[in-house]
């Protein structure tokens, strides 16, 4: 069982890796073939319902980082099972729908790979028990959603939507990581299941507010709560299958899942209830009104998703048994009808060529099956029986009809929000399909079975769940609600209607208000748009302004720091080195360890020269000669050779005092450095001598002396202390038995710090490749590379200012509107440094004729 549960999270990633290859050989049926993977996962998860009902939860564990006690653990209880079943079931239909919707697309295989990886990330998130594993899958959902939203990368709007979603959700990801680490520091626990067992949770801890803030920010960014909601409508730039999956059962529900999961040990406090209820209520009304403002069917559904997410967060914040029951039922109902309606809208767009609700009408006669699917989903969105969403609404209202003003306020928000959502559902179902037939860009006909299977099955599932009310309450509602509240919850769902209860009349009021909103939709749309025009800004425009300012600031900092003067770079580096050396030595008193004490005795004896052999004195003399040669070198070439002398002396010192490996390495470095520098210097257009003013010489000399004295004092301080040989003893003891090497230095380089060495090699390789690319691009542009014997001042050399002037485009009239942040990034960063301006392209060369070989 353990391996099977782990396989549920891993299987979609395996399928994603194979998707492009499978698509190549099963192009017409790739959607059907790959849909078998989530379908199999769904069937397997169905078999876990009875074990979860019997035992409460099933856990699985895979060794991850045993040295730190970290396991990749999975936990299946009622809550995670409900989410996993929704993700895999809807995911199977989405994959099938994608194959039909994007049939013939040249990158369909890649799209299906992204979609399956997205599904795997969400499954891993809801099944993960280890909080670090949850964070890993949390970030994977952000990355895969970025790839899916920006799938049509040739469109600027798609790129902008993807970047915006990534930025906002990654802010939440960092907050989640901070919260996870903080919880572990406070409790010593990594597993979410173990945190549920804490007697008083974290509610009474002094840092409860900080932990709560971290998890709430993470959830609000992911689940698009006001005022962090604006990224979700822009994610509609993704293809319709992505919208259907993202809005129904995947990424936007991750924040809802997180809040539900941490309720036992973070919830039921005044701060928790106040924040979630207030922000959830505002998000509910804001999203519902925003949905009525739109005429694009996808945007209407997207805005309604914001409202539905606010509704779920509000119910979690209330935290009562009926509120949590309503949250579970509404989550399932919303996933079913929202995915179905998005698929219906995609079918309309695919067949009619437009999604504008004002340009559609009378499609029911030409798309009858699509209309039936829309009608079934619309029943749930409107909250009418026999749809399961009807019972969600009943549960929401059940305990709020009381004399307390707080309850009545929340009840009024719920009634108004549900009424507006019901009106949106009526608009989406009625306007496109009923009424007079409207001309469309494409001749309308019924959608294919691949486009219809998903919405029909999901719409029917919303009705079947209500007809099987006893099974739904026992197998879905009870285990999920019990997992959230960490106490047994019994289902009281029934088809018995009590007309004396206020709940049924509250539902009737909701329907009446929905009909009023539906009939006045055009007037409400006009009023909201007038308000937006009067306001003049939105959260979306604020994001653009912030990103624009960030990019401009980055450009200014780049121009300030990356000015292209190597001399100043070196001055900065050695100034910081001098500061890092001298501040601890003198500012923190480390140099006090070098002062004479009674324990050290006679310092003249301590600092006396050792008894050196004549050849050893010769090496010391060679080092002094090299030092003097460097200082007195008349030109650059002599300086390079003098550096080689100095390096050779250092290598000989290593050799004489028992470090032959270091000596060999030093010899190789010196040889390569001298040869490479000599070759490079002969190819650069530099003066033979470096004429420098006195102030530069004084500055550089002072820095050299300070750094030299600092390094010497630091070494003396280190050597004056007691040598801790534990690491050396470890290397000596384990070099042969573990690393199978007798040369300890080599073992350290390639084994104990092998990744460090690999990183150094990678940097050198990247630098070499970059140099090669630059040289080749210079040849391709027809710019000559000076030969070895070329004069130092080539006649073709051009001042940088002239190159900039030639490359600078003609001035254009300034646009009145500020460009979007995604369009600014490349242009602004590319002009950040004056040295980055490329030379003007030379005149085109005559094309070379091909000759037969």
């Amino acid at each position: 069982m353990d391996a099977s549960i782990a396989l549920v999270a891993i299987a979609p990633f395996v399928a994603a890796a194979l998707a492009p290859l499978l698509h190549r050989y099963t192009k017409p049926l790739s959607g059907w073939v790959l849909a078998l993977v989530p379908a199999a996962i769904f069937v397997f998860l169905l078999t876990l319902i009875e074990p979860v009902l019997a035992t409460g939860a099933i856990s699985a564990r895979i060794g991850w980082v045993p040295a730190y006690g970290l396991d990749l653990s999975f936990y299946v209880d009622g809550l995670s099972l409900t989410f996993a079943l929704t993700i895999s079931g809807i995911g199977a239909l989405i994959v099938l729908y994608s194959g039909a919707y994007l049939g013939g697309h040249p990158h369909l295989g890649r799209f299906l790979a992204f979609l399956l990886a997205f599904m795997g990330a969400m499954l891993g998130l809801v099944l993960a028990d280890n909080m670090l594993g949850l964070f890993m899958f949390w970030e994977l959902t952000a990355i895969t959603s970025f790839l899916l939203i920006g799938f049509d990368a040739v469109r600027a709007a798609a790129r902008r939507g993807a970047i915006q979603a990534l930025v906002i959700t990654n802010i939440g990801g960092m907050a989640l990581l901070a919260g996870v680490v903080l919880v572990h520091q406070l409790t010593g626990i990594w597993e979410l299941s173990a945190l549920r067992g804490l007697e008083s949770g974290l509610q009474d801890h002094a840092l409860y507010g900080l932990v709560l803030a971290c998890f709430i920010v993470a959830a609000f960014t992911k689940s698009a709560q006001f005022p962090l909601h604006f990224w979700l409508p822009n994610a509609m730039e993704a293809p319709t299958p992505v919208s259907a999956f993202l809005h129904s059962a995947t990424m936007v529900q991750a924040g809802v899942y997180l809040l539900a999961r941490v309720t036992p040990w973070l919830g039921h406090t005044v701060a928790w209830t106040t924040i979630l209820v207030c922000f959830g209520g505002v998000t509910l009304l804001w999203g519902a009104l925003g949905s009525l403002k739109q005429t694009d069917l996808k945007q209407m559904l997207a805005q309604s998703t914001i409202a539905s997410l606010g509704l779920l967060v509000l119910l979690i914040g209330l935290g009562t048994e009926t509120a949590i029951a309503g949250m579970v039922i509404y989550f399932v109902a919303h996933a079913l009808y929202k995915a179905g309606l998005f698929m219906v809208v995609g079918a309309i767009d695919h067949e009619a060529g437009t999604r504008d609700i004002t340009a559609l009408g009378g499609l029911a006669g030409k798309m009858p099956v699509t209309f039936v699917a829309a009608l079934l989903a619309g029943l749930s969105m409107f909250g009418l029986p026999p749809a399961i969403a009807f019972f969600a609404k009943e549960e929401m209202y059940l305990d709020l009809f009381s004399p307390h003003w707080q309850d009545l306020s929340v009840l009024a928000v719920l009634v108004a929000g549900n009424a507006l959502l019901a009106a949106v559902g009526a608009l989406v179902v009625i306007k496109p399909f009923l009424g007079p037939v409207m001309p469309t860009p494409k001749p309308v006909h019924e959608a294919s079975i691949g486009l219809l299977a998903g919405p029909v099955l999901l719409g029917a599932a919303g009705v079947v769940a209500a007809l099987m009310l006893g099974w739904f309450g026992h197998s879905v509602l009870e285990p999920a609600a019990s997992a959230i509240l960490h106490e047994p919850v019994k289902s009281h769902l029934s088809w018995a209607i009590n007309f004396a209860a206020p709940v049924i009349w509250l539902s009737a009021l909701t329907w009446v208000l929905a009909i009023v909103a539906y009939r006045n939709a055009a007037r409400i749309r006009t009023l909201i748009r007038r308000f937006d025009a009067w306001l003049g800004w939105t959260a979306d425009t604020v994001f653009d302004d912030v990103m624009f300012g960030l990019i401009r600031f980055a450009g200014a900092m780049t121009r300030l720091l990356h000015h292209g003067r190597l001399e100043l770079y070196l001055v900065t580096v050695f100034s910081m080195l001098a500061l890092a050396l001298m501040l601890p030595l003198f500012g923190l008193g480390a140099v006090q360890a070098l002062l004479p004490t009674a324990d050290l005795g006679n310092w003249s004896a301590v600092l006396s020269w050792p008894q050196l052999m004549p050849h050893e004195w010769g090496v010391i003399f060679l080092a002094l000669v090299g030092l003097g040669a460097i200082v007195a070198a008349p030109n650059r070439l002599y300086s390079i050779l003098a550096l080689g002398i100095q390096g050779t002396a250092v290598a000989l010192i290593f050799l004489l005092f028992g470090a032959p490996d270091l000596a060999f390495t030093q010899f190789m470095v010196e040889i390569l450095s001298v040869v490479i520098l000599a070759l490079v210097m002969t190819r650069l257009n530099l003066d033979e001598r470096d004429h420098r003013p006195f102030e530069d010489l004084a500055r550089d000399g002072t820095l050299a002396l300070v750094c030299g004295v600092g390094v010497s004092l630091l070494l003396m301080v280190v050597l004056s202390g007691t040598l801790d040989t534990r690491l050396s003893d470890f290397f000596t003891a384990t070099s042969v038995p573990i690393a199978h090497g007798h040369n300890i230095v080599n073992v350290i380089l390639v084994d104990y710090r092998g990744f460090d060495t690999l990183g150094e090699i990678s940097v050198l390789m990247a630098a070499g490749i970059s140099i090669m690319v630059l040289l080749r691009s210079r040849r391709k542009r027809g710019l000559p590379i000076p030969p070895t014997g070329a004069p130092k001042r080539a006649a073709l050399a051009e001042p940088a200012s002239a190159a900039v002037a030639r490359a600078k485009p003609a001035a254009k009239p300034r646009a009145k509107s500020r460009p979007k942040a995604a369009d600014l990034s490349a242009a602004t960063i590319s002009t950040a440094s004056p040295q980055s301006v490329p030379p003007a392209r030379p005149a085109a060369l005559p094309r070379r004729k091909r000759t037969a070989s």
Side-chain angles (χ1 to χ4, degrees):
M1 183 66 73
D2 290 2
S4 300
I5 294 175
L7 188 61
V8 168
I10 297 172
F13 293 104
V14 177
L18 298 176
L21 181 63
L22 289 174
H23 172 67
R24 181 179 301 176
Y25 295 103
T26 61
K27 282 186 177 180
L29 302 174
S30 55
W32 294 86
V33 173
L34 290 170
L36 295 175
V37 175
I41 294 174
F42 178 77
V43 172
F44 170 75
L45 291 173
L46 284 176
T47 64
L48 298 182
I49 293 179
E50 290 303 323
V52 168
L53 289 175
T55 61
I58 303 171
S59 61
R61 189 176 298 270
I62 301 174
W64 193 11
V65 189
Y68 290 93
L70 287 175
D71 293 327
L72 188 58
S73 52
F74 299 95
Y75 189 76
V76 183
D77 62 358
L79 177 63
S80 57
L81 184 59
T82 299
F83 272 79
L85 282 168
T86 307
I87 294 165
S88 57
I90 294 178
L93 298 175
I94 293 291
V95 172
L96 176 61
Y97 182 87
S98 301
Y101 187 84
L102 295 175
H105 195 285
H107 301 302
L108 176 58
R110 185 176 66 184
F111 177 83
L112 293 173
F114 293 161
L115 192 65
L116 288 166
F118 185 45
M119 182 192 308
M122 194 64 197
L123 282 171
L125 190 154
V126 301
L127 295 176
D129 191 24
N130 184 287
M131 288 191 292
L132 286 180
L134 176 106
F135 168 74
M136 178 183 68
F137 287 114
W138 182 281
E139 290 300 282
L140 279 176
T141 61
I143 295 170
T144 49
S145 67
F146 169 79
L147 296 173
L148 288 169
I149 296 170
F151 177 71
D152 190 7
V154 297
R155 294 190 301 112
R159 297 195 302 271
R160 177 177 179 269
I163 292 173
Q164 191 178 71
L166 186 66
V167 169
I168 298 300
T169 55
N170 272 359
I171 293 173
M174 293 302 99
L176 176 62
L177 179 61
V180 164
V181 174
L182 186 57
V183 168
H184 178 260
Q185 291 297 313
L186 297 179
T187 64
I189 297 173
W190 285 117
E191 274 70 30
L192 291 165
S193 57
L195 288 169
R196 297 174 61 195
L198 294 177
E199 292 184 2
S200 58
L202 293 176
Q203 289 90 336
D204 298 329
H205 199 280
L207 294 178
Y208 168 76
L210 182 58
V211 176
L212 179 64
C214 290
F215 280 90
I216 283 181
V217 169
F220 279 19
T221 55
K222 209 74 162 182
S223 289
Q225 296 300 289
F226 183 90
L228 302 172
H229 62 286
F230 54 88
W231 68 267
L232 188 54
N234 293 328
M236 290 301 93
E237 299 298 334
T240 299
V242 178
S243 303
F245 203 21
L246 188 146
H247 284 254
S248 60
T250 51
M251 191 170 79
V252 296
Q253 300 293 351
V256 173
Y257 171 81
L258 180 66
L259 292 174
R261 179 57 76 193
V262 302
T263 294
W265 46 277
L266 280 184
H268 308 296
T269 64
V270 175
W272 170 275
T273 302
T274 302
I275 293 173
L276 296 193
V277 170
C278 291
F279 280 92
V282 172
T283 306
L284 168 60
L285 297 179
W286 188 278
L289 290 172
S291 183
L292 287 174
K293 181 183 69 175
Q294 305 295 328
T295 57
D296 185 303
L297 288 170
K298 277 185 69 174
Q299 283 294 336
M300 292 176 69
L301 292 176
Q303 296 283 352
S304 71
T305 300
I306 295 175
S308 297
L309 294 170
L311 177 57
L312 292 170
V313 170
L314 186 153
L315 294 174
I316 294 174
L318 290 176
T320 63
E321 183 175 318
T322 55
I324 295 300
M327 172 260 161
V328 173
I329 301 171
Y330 187 75
F331 164 75
V332 176
H334 172 264
L336 294 176
Y337 78 68
K338 187 57 63 70
L341 286 177
F342 264 111
M343 293 184 192
V344 167
V345 170
I348 293 173
D349 189 22
H350 193 272
E351 305 305 335
T354 181
R355 300 191 305 259
D356 191 341
I357 197 171
T358 62
L360 292 169
L363 296 181
K366 297 182 179 179
M367 304 179 71
V369 180
T370 307
F371 174 60
V372 171
L375 188 61
L376 291 173
L379 286 176
S380 288
M381 191 167 182
F382 203 86
L384 288 173
I388 192 64
F390 168 75
F391 297 95
K393 182 162 45 58
E394 300 288 298
E395 292 292 318
M396 295 178 202
Y397 298 158
L398 194 57
D399 283 348
L400 292 175
F401 196 78
S402 71
H404 301 292
W405 69 269
Q406 297 94 334
D407 292 341
L408 292 177
S409 300
V410 174
L411 181 61
V413 170
L414 288 176
V415 171
N418 283 324
L420 293 174
L421 286 175
V424 173
L427 288 170
V428 173
V429 174
I430 296 174
K431 289 292 185 180
F433 291 99
L434 301 180
V437 178
M438 303 280 287
T440 56
K442 296 168 60 177
V444 180
H445 57 83
E446 186 58 272
S448 65
I449 187 173
L451 297 177
L452 291 175
V456 170
L457 290 176
L458 292 174
V463 175
V464 171
L467 297 179
M468 300 175 61
L469 198 58
W471 176 88
F472 182 86
H474 175 68
S475 302
V476 178
L477 174 57
E478 289 182 3
S482 299
I484 296 173
L485 294 174
H486 195 45
E487 61 184 27
V489 174
K490 291 297 182 182
S491 170
H492 53 266
L493 298 180
S494 171
W495 275 105
I497 298 177
N498 182 8
F499 288 98
V503 172
I504 189 65
W505 297 108
L506 289 173
S507 294
L509 176 62
T510 303
W511 295 328
V512 171
L513 293 176
I515 294 172
V516 172
Y518 169 80
R519 294 180 63 87
N520 295 275
R523 187 176 302 173
I524 295 174
R525 183 184 306 124
T526 302
L527 291 175
I528 297 174
R529 289 182 174 180
R530 286 179 180 175
F531 174 77
D532 284 351
W534 171 82
L535 190 61
W537 61 271
T538 63
D540 200 24
T541 58
V542 171
F543 175 84
D544 284 336
D545 291 337
V546 171
M547 292 298 294
F548 183 85
L550 181 63
I551 293 169
R552 293 294 298 271
F553 174 75
M557 292 302 297
T558 302
R559 288 189 294 272
L560 175 65
L561 301 177
H562 188 60
H563 40 67
R565 296 182 61 185
L566 181 60
E567 177 186 4
L568 294 183
Y569 292 160
L570 294 176
V571 169
T572 303
V573 169
F574 283 103
S575 298
M576 292 299 104
L577 175 61
L579 185 64
L581 290 170
M582 292 303 180
L583 182 61
L585 285 172
F586 294 96
L588 302 180
V591 77
Q592 300 295 325
L594 299 179
L595 297 179
T597 61
D599 298 334
L600 292 175
N602 185 6
W603 264 83
S604 62
V606 175
L607 295 179
S608 62
W609 282 93
Q611 297 296 324
L612 299 178
M613 301 296 290
H615 62 277
E616 294 172 340
W617 279 111
V619 173
I620 299 297
F621 178 73
L622 181 63
L624 294 175
V625 170
L627 179 61
I630 293 172
V631 175
N635 55 49
R636 290 185 172 90
L637 185 58
Y638 286 170
S639 298
I640 295 171
L641 296 177
L643 281 174
I645 296 173
Q646 183 73 6
T648 302
V650 173
L652 290 174
I653 292 174
F654 289 156
L655 183 63
L656 292 176
F657 290 92
D661 295 318
L662 292 178
F664 176 76
T665 304
Q666 183 70 23
F667 277 126
M668 295 298 297
V669 170
E670 291 303 322
I671 294 171
L672 290 175
S673 298
V674 171
V675 172
I676 292 174
L677 284 174
L679 289 175
V680 170
M681 287 297 181
T682 58
R683 284 179 166 266
L684 293 177
N685 296 323
L686 298 175
D687 292 330
E688 184 178 352
R689 297 177 180 272
D690 185 13
H691 301 286
R692 307 175 68 197
F694 173 77
E695 55 268 22
D696 287 359
L697 293 174
R699 178 197 63 195
D700 298 343
T702 303
L703 279 176
L705 288 174
V706 172
C707 291
V709 171
V711 170
S712 301
L713 289 175
L714 178 63
L715 290 176
M716 293 173 66
V717 170
V718 171
L719 293 176
S720 67
T722 303
L723 178 63
D724 188 350
T725 62
R726 287 180 296 174
L727 188 58
S728 301
D729 296 338
F730 171 77
F731 289 147
T732 304
T734 59
S735 178
V736 174
I738 293 180
H740 308 288
H742 292 273
N743 190 317
I744 298 178
V745 174
N746 289 349
V747 168
I748 292 173
L749 291 174
V750 302
D751 196 325
Y752 293 110
R753 55 186 293 266
F755 282 110
D756 189 15
T757 305
L758 178 63
E760 295 171 357
I761 296 172
S762 302
V763 169
L764 292 175
M765 182 180 67
I769 293 174
S770 300
I771 293 171
M772 182 180 65
V773 170
L774 289 174
L775 292 176
R776 287 188 175 182
S777 64
R778 188 179 180 90
R779 290 193 183 98
K780 288 180 179 179
R781 291 200 301 266
L783 299 177
I785 299 177
T788 303
K792 298 302 179 184
R793 291 292 183 183
L796 295 177
E798 184 180 25
S801 58
V804 172
R806 290 193 299 104
K808 186 176 181 180
K812 296 181 179 180
R814 185 174 180 179
K816 293 183 179 180
S817 60
R818 178 172 291 178
K820 297 294 186 182
D823 302 328
L824 289 168
S825 57
T828 307
I829 293 175
S830 66
T831 59
S833 174
Q835 281 72 25
S836 65
V837 178
R841 187 180 296 273
L845 298 176
R847 186 181 299 274
R848 180 178 298 175
K849 296 182 179 180
R850 293 186 177 180
T851 57
S853 57

